[in-house]
Coordinates of all heavy atoms in Angstrom, one line a residue:
I210 N 15.6 -65.9 7.5 CA 16.2 -66.4 8.7 C 15.4 -67.6 9.2 O 15.9 -68.6 9.7 CB 16.2 -65.3 9.8 CG1 17.3 -64.3 9.4 CG2 16.4 -65.9 11.2 CD1 17.4 -63.2 10.4
H211 N 14.0 -67.5 9.1 CA 13.1 -68.5 9.6 C 13.4 -69.9 8.9 O 13.1 -70.9 9.5 CB 11.7 -68.0 9.3 CG 10.6 -68.8 9.9 ND1 10.5 -69.0 11.2 CD2 9.5 -69.4 9.3 CE1 9.4 -69.7 11.5 NE2 8.8 -70.0 10.3
E212 N 13.9 -69.8 7.7 CA 14.2 -71.1 7.0 C 15.5 -71.8 7.6 O 15.7 -73.0 7.3 CB 14.4 -70.9 5.5 CG 13.1 -70.5 4.8 CD 13.4 -70.1 3.4 OE1 14.4 -70.4 2.8 OE2 12.5 -69.5 2.8
C214 N 16.7 -71.3 10.9 CA 16.9 -70.9 12.4 C 17.0 -72.2 13.2 O 16.2 -73.1 13.0 CB 15.6 -70.1 12.8 SG 15.7 -69.7 14.5
E215 N 17.9 -72.1 14.2 CA 18.1 -73.3 15.0 C 16.9 -73.5 15.9 O 16.7 -74.6 16.5 CB 19.3 -73.1 15.9 CG 19.2 -71.9 16.9 CD 20.6 -71.2 17.2 OE1 21.5 -71.3 16.3 OE2 20.7 -70.6 18.2
R216 N 16.0 -72.5 16.1 CA 14.8 -72.7 16.9 C 13.6 -73.2 16.0 O 12.5 -73.4 16.6 CB 14.4 -71.5 17.6 CG 15.5 -71.1 18.6 CD 15.1 -69.9 19.5 NE 16.3 -69.5 20.3 CZ 16.3 -69.2 21.6 NH1 15.1 -69.1 22.2 NH2 17.4 -68.9 22.2
R217 N 13.8 -73.4 14.7 CA 12.7 -73.8 13.9 C 12.0 -75.1 14.3 O 10.7 -75.1 14.2 CB 13.2 -73.8 12.4 CG 12.2 -74.2 11.4 CD 11.0 -73.2 11.3 NE 10.0 -73.7 10.4 CZ 9.9 -73.3 9.2 NH1 10.8 -72.4 8.6 NH2 8.9 -73.8 8.4
P218 N 12.7 -76.1 14.7 CA 11.9 -77.3 15.1 C 10.9 -77.0 16.2 O 9.9 -77.6 16.3 CB 13.0 -78.2 15.6 CG 14.3 -77.8 14.9 CD 14.1 -76.3 14.8
H219 N 11.2 -76.0 17.1 CA 10.3 -75.6 18.2 C 9.1 -74.9 17.5 O 7.9 -75.1 18.0 CB 11.0 -74.7 19.2 CG 12.0 -75.4 20.0 ND1 11.8 -76.5 20.7 CD2 13.4 -75.2 20.0 CE1 12.9 -76.9 21.3 NE2 13.9 -76.1 20.9
F220 N 9.3 -74.1 16.5 CA 8.2 -73.4 15.8 C 7.3 -74.5 15.3 O 6.1 -74.5 15.4 CB 8.7 -72.5 14.7 CG 7.7 -71.8 13.9 CD1 7.2 -70.6 14.2 CD2 7.2 -72.5 12.7 CE1 6.2 -70.0 13.4 CE2 6.2 -71.9 12.0 CZ 5.7 -70.6 12.3
D221 N 7.9 -75.4 14.5 CA 7.1 -76.5 13.9 C 6.3 -77.3 14.9 O 5.2 -77.8 14.6 CB 8.0 -77.4 13.0 CG 8.6 -76.6 11.8 OD1 8.0 -75.6 11.4 OD2 9.6 -77.1 11.2
F225 N 6.5 -72.4 22.1 CA 6.8 -71.0 22.0 C 7.2 -70.4 23.3 O 6.6 -70.8 24.4 CB 5.6 -70.2 21.4 CG 5.3 -70.6 20.0 CD1 4.2 -71.5 19.7 CD2 6.1 -70.2 18.9 CE1 3.9 -71.8 18.4 CE2 5.8 -70.6 17.6 CZ 4.7 -71.4 17.4
W238 N 13.2 -72.2 23.1 CA 12.1 -72.4 22.2 C 11.9 -71.2 21.3 O 12.6 -70.2 21.4 CB 10.8 -72.6 23.0 CG 10.7 -74.0 23.7 CD1 11.7 -74.9 23.7 CD2 9.7 -74.5 24.5 NE1 11.3 -76.0 24.5 CE2 10.1 -75.7 25.0 CE3 8.4 -74.0 24.9 CZ2 9.2 -76.5 25.8 CZ3 7.6 -74.7 25.8 CH2 8.0 -76.0 26.2
C239 N 11.0 -71.3 20.4 CA 10.8 -70.3 19.3 C 10.3 -69.0 19.9 O 9.4 -68.9 20.8 CB 9.8 -70.8 18.3 SG 9.3 -69.6 17.1
L240 N 10.8 -67.9 19.3 CA 10.5 -66.5 19.8 C 9.4 -65.8 19.0 O 9.3 -64.6 19.2 CB 11.8 -65.7 19.8 CG 12.9 -66.2 20.8 CD1 14.3 -65.8 20.3 CD2 12.6 -65.7 22.2
Y241 N 8.7 -66.5 18.2 CA 7.7 -65.9 17.3 C 6.7 -65.0 18.1 O 6.4 -63.9 17.7 CB 6.9 -67.0 16.6 CG 5.9 -66.5 15.6 CD1 6.4 -65.9 14.4 CD2 4.6 -66.6 15.9 CE1 5.5 -65.4 13.5 CE2 3.6 -66.1 14.9 CZ 4.1 -65.5 13.8 OH 3.2 -65.0 12.9
H242 N 6.3 -65.5 19.2 CA 5.3 -64.7 20.0 C 5.9 -63.6 20.8 O 5.2 -62.8 21.4 CB 4.4 -65.6 20.9 CG 3.5 -66.5 20.1 ND1 2.4 -65.9 19.4 CD2 3.5 -67.8 19.8 CE1 1.8 -66.9 18.8 NE2 2.4 -68.0 19.0
C245 N 9.4 -62.0 17.1 CA 10.5 -62.3 16.2 C 10.1 -62.1 14.7 O 9.1 -62.5 14.2 CB 10.9 -63.8 16.3 SG 12.3 -64.2 15.3
K246 N 11.0 -61.3 14.0 CA 10.8 -61.0 12.6 C 11.5 -61.9 11.7 O 11.6 -61.7 10.5 CB 11.3 -59.5 12.4 CG 10.5 -58.5 13.2 CD 9.1 -58.2 12.6 CE 8.5 -56.9 13.1 NZ 8.0 -57.0 14.5
G247 N 12.0 -63.0 12.2 CA 12.7 -64.0 11.4 C 11.9 -64.5 10.2 O 12.4 -64.7 9.1
P248 N 10.5 -64.6 10.3 CA 9.8 -65.1 9.1 C 9.7 -64.1 8.0 O 9.2 -64.4 6.9 CB 8.4 -65.4 9.7 CG 8.6 -65.7 11.2 CD 9.8 -64.7 11.5
W265 N 24.5 -65.0 17.9 CA 23.6 -64.1 17.1 C 22.4 -63.9 17.9 O 22.1 -64.6 18.9 CB 23.4 -64.8 15.7 CG 22.5 -66.1 15.7 CD1 22.8 -67.3 16.4 CD2 21.3 -66.2 15.1 NE1 21.8 -68.1 16.1 CE2 20.8 -67.5 15.4 CE3 20.5 -65.4 14.4 CZ2 19.6 -68.0 14.9 CZ3 19.3 -65.9 13.9 CH2 18.8 -67.2 14.1
I267 N 19.0 -64.4 17.9 CA 18.0 -65.4 18.3 C 18.7 -66.5 19.1 O 18.2 -67.0 20.1 CB 17.4 -66.0 17.0 CG1 16.4 -65.0 16.4 CG2 16.6 -67.3 17.3 CD1 15.8 -65.4 15.1
P272 N 14.5 -61.9 20.2 CA 13.8 -62.0 18.9 C 14.6 -61.2 17.8 O 15.1 -60.2 18.2 CB 12.4 -61.5 19.1 CG 12.4 -60.9 20.5 CD 13.6 -61.4 21.2
C273 N 14.5 -61.7 16.6 CA 15.1 -60.9 15.5 C 14.3 -59.6 15.3 O 13.0 -59.7 15.3 CB 15.0 -61.7 14.2 SG 15.4 -60.8 12.7
Ligands
SF4_302 FE1 11.3 -68.4 13.1 FE2 12.1 -66.6 14.9 FE3 11.0 -68.9 15.7 FE4 13.5 -68.8 14.6 S1 12.8 -67.9 16.6 S2 11.9 -70.3 14.2 S3 13.2 -67.2 13.1 S4 10.0 -67.3 14.5

Side-chain angles (χ1 to χ4, degrees):
I210 288 180
H211 189 59
E212 291 174 15
C214 177
E215 64 211 27
R216 297 187 186 220
R217 179 61 186 265
H219 295 299
F220 176 91
D221 290 340
F225 296 104
W238 289 1
C239 172
L240 293 157
Y241 184 72
H242 290 292
C245 183
K246 297 284 194 287
W265 71 295
I267 291 173
C273 169

